[in-house]
Amino acid sequence: MVRLHVKRGDESQFLLETAASARLSDLTPLVARIYNGRLKVQRLCSEMEELAEHGTFLPYNMQGLTDEQIEELKLKDEWAEKCIPSGGSVFKKDEIGRRNGHAPNEKMQQVIKKTIEEAKALISRKQVQANICVNMEMVKDALDQLRGAVTIVYPMGLPPHDPIRMEFENKEDLVGTQAGLEVIEESEAQLWWAGKELQETKLLSDYVGKNEKTTIIVKIQKKGRGAPGREPLISHEEQKQMMLYYYKKQEELKKLEEEDDDSFLNAEWADSHALKRQFHGVTDIKWRPR
C-alpha cells in the first residue's frame, strides 16, 4: 500500500494508506472526507467542552444579553426545562452568554471530558508522528463516541439550535466563520504532489509508480488556488538540530581560542633559563644603584 502523508499548507494532517492503482477520482474525495471529518470532530470537541462547563445553547435571541435585559424583554429558554442532564444540573454562569449555565454534575462532566480526550486521540496529528494511519472508519468511530457521550448525559437530547446537535445532524452553519474557511468540499478538493496537480482522470500509479511501499507527501487545497509551496529540503526539526550543532561548534572554537592565549609565557615559572641563572648565582639582580 502507498502511504500518503496528507498536509494542508505546511501542517501535517494525517497518514492514509491506499493502493497504487487507486483512481484519483475516488482518492481525492476520500482524502477530503477524512480531512473534513477530522475538522468536525475538533469542532464538536470544542463545543462539548463548553457543554460540560455551561450547559446547553441559549436561543439566539437570548445570547449575549444580561439577566436584566432578559427579564425586561420577558424572554425564556423553553428548552432548559426539556433538556436536563442526567443526575441534575449545577449552575455555572457562562460569561460569554452563549449557554444557559445549567451544567451537568461532576460525574457527567467527566463522561464528556473523557470521551473528548479519546475522540481527539483517534484523529490527532500526533498519529503522524506515531506512524499510525487514519481512515474514515476511525473518524466515524470518534463521532459515534461523542454522540454516545451526549446521549448518556442528555438522554432527552439537545435543543435543535445547539451547535452540537446541528453537527451530528449535518446541519451546521459555518458561513462567515474561521471554521468554514478550513473546510474543503469534496467537489472543490485538489491534491498536489512534488509541485504537480494529481489529475482526477489518472491513477495514483501514473505519478508515483507501482511500488506499493512508497511514502509520499500530498497537499490538499481548494481548486483554483495554484500550486502550494514545495516541501523544504530539510524539515524544521532537522534545521533546529543543525543550528544547535553549529552553535555548539562555535562555542567550542571560542573556548579553544581563549585557551590558546600565550600571555602566560611572561610568567616567572615559564622562564626556561631560570634554573641556569640560579646555579650561576645571578638571580634577583637589580640594575640600579643602592
Side-chain angles (χ1 to χ4, degrees):
M1 301 291 280
V2 177
R3 179 165 290 189
L4 307 182
H5 180 174
V6 181
K7 288 189 171 185
R8 175 83 188 269
D10 293 328
E11 293 185 350
S12 295
Q13 300 296 323
F14 57 92
L15 299 178
L16 174 67
E17 283 188 335
T18 186
S21 59
R23 293 183 178 277
L24 286 163
S25 57
D26 298 326
L27 181 59
T28 302
L30 174 61
V31 172
R33 274 197 300 276
I34 296 174
Y35 171 79
N36 291 330
R38 291 178 66 255
L39 292 178
K40 178 183 279 287
V41 171
Q42 291 167 7
R43 292 195 302 270
L44 276 165
C45 287
S46 177
E47 286 293 345
M48 286 176 64
E49 287 172 355
E50 293 298 314
L51 177 69
E53 290 294 325
H54 303 293
T56 58
F57 213 60
L58 282 169
Y60 293 113
N61 63 345
M62 294 178 63
Q63 291 182 21
L65 300 180
T66 64
D67 294 338
E68 293 76 12
Q69 289 172 325
I70 291 174
E71 186 176 349
E72 183 180 345
L73 295 171
K74 298 180 180 179
L75 300 176
K76 184 180 179 182
D77 181 9
E78 297 178 357
W79 291 94
E81 298 175 359
K82 301 176 184 178
C83 305
I84 301 174
S86 297
S89 63
V90 292
F91 188 77
K92 188 174 181 183
K93 186 176 176 61
D94 182 7
E95 298 299 333
I96 301 176
R98 293 175 73 240
R99 295 186 173 271
N100 64 15
H102 297 289
N105 61 33
E106 182 64 29
K107 184 179 178 181
M108 292 296 104
Q109 284 185 25
Q110 290 307 313
V111 169
I112 293 176
K113 291 177 179 179
K114 183 179 179 182
T115 306
I116 288 172
E117 289 179 7
E118 293 172 353
K120 281 183 175 180
L122 271 176
I123 53 92
S124 171
R125 290 176 183 172
K126 292 181 180 178
Q127 298 284 53
V128 175
Q129 300 170 3
N131 211 28
I132 297 174
C133 293
V134 174
N135 53 42
M136 201 60 211
E137 292 304 313
M138 294 171 70
V139 174
K140 289 179 179 177
D141 189 22
L143 290 171
D144 288 341
Q145 287 184 27
L146 295 172
R147 186 182 287 107
V150 171
T151 303
I152 290 171
V153 180
Y154 287 90
M156 302 302 292
L158 296 175
H161 55 270
D162 195 298
I164 297 170
R165 177 170 169 176
M166 295 176 72
E167 287 281 3
F168 285 138
E169 296 177 351
N170 294 320
K171 296 178 180 177
E172 67 272 20
D173 182 11
L174 303 178
V175 177
T177 65
Q178 180 61 38
L181 297 176
E182 294 175 349
V183 173
I184 300 177
E185 298 295 337
E186 293 179 29
S187 59
E188 298 179 358
Q190 195 174 57
L191 296 181
W192 290 76
W193 169 69
K196 300 175 184 176
E197 179 190 345
L198 303 185
Q199 299 286 344
E200 294 186 4
T201 55
K202 296 186 178 182
L203 305 178
L204 182 61
S205 57
D206 293 336
Y207 294 94
V208 302
K210 297 182 179 181
N211 184 358
E212 294 285 353
K213 295 184 179 180
T214 304
T215 298
I216 63 172
I217 295 176
V218 297
K219 294 194 174 185
I220 184 172
Q221 66 175 26
K222 293 182 180 179
K223 291 179 180 178
R225 298 293 177 89
R230 290 206 174 204
E231 284 295 295
L233 296 176
I234 58 173
S235 68
H236 180 64
E237 188 61 32
E238 289 172 334
Q239 185 180 19
K240 282 171 60 178
Q241 293 298 327
M242 288 176 63
M243 291 174 66
L244 180 61
Y245 171 79
Y246 285 115
Y247 174 76
K248 287 182 177 179
K249 200 74 175 174
Q250 189 178 28
E251 291 300 307
E252 288 175 3
L253 288 172
K254 283 182 182 179
K255 191 174 181 181
L256 286 173
E257 287 178 3
E258 291 172 358
E259 292 177 351
D260 197 35
D261 185 5
D262 57 2
S263 60
F264 66 88
L265 294 176
N266 295 325
E268 185 178 346
W269 56 268
D271 186 357
S272 59
H273 301 291
L275 183 61
K276 181 179 178 180
R277 285 199 297 271
Q278 187 174 0
F279 283 141
H280 290 167
V282 292
T283 58
D284 195 25
I285 295 177
K286 309 290 185 186
W287 296 102
R288 62 183 182 184
R290 293 180 180 179

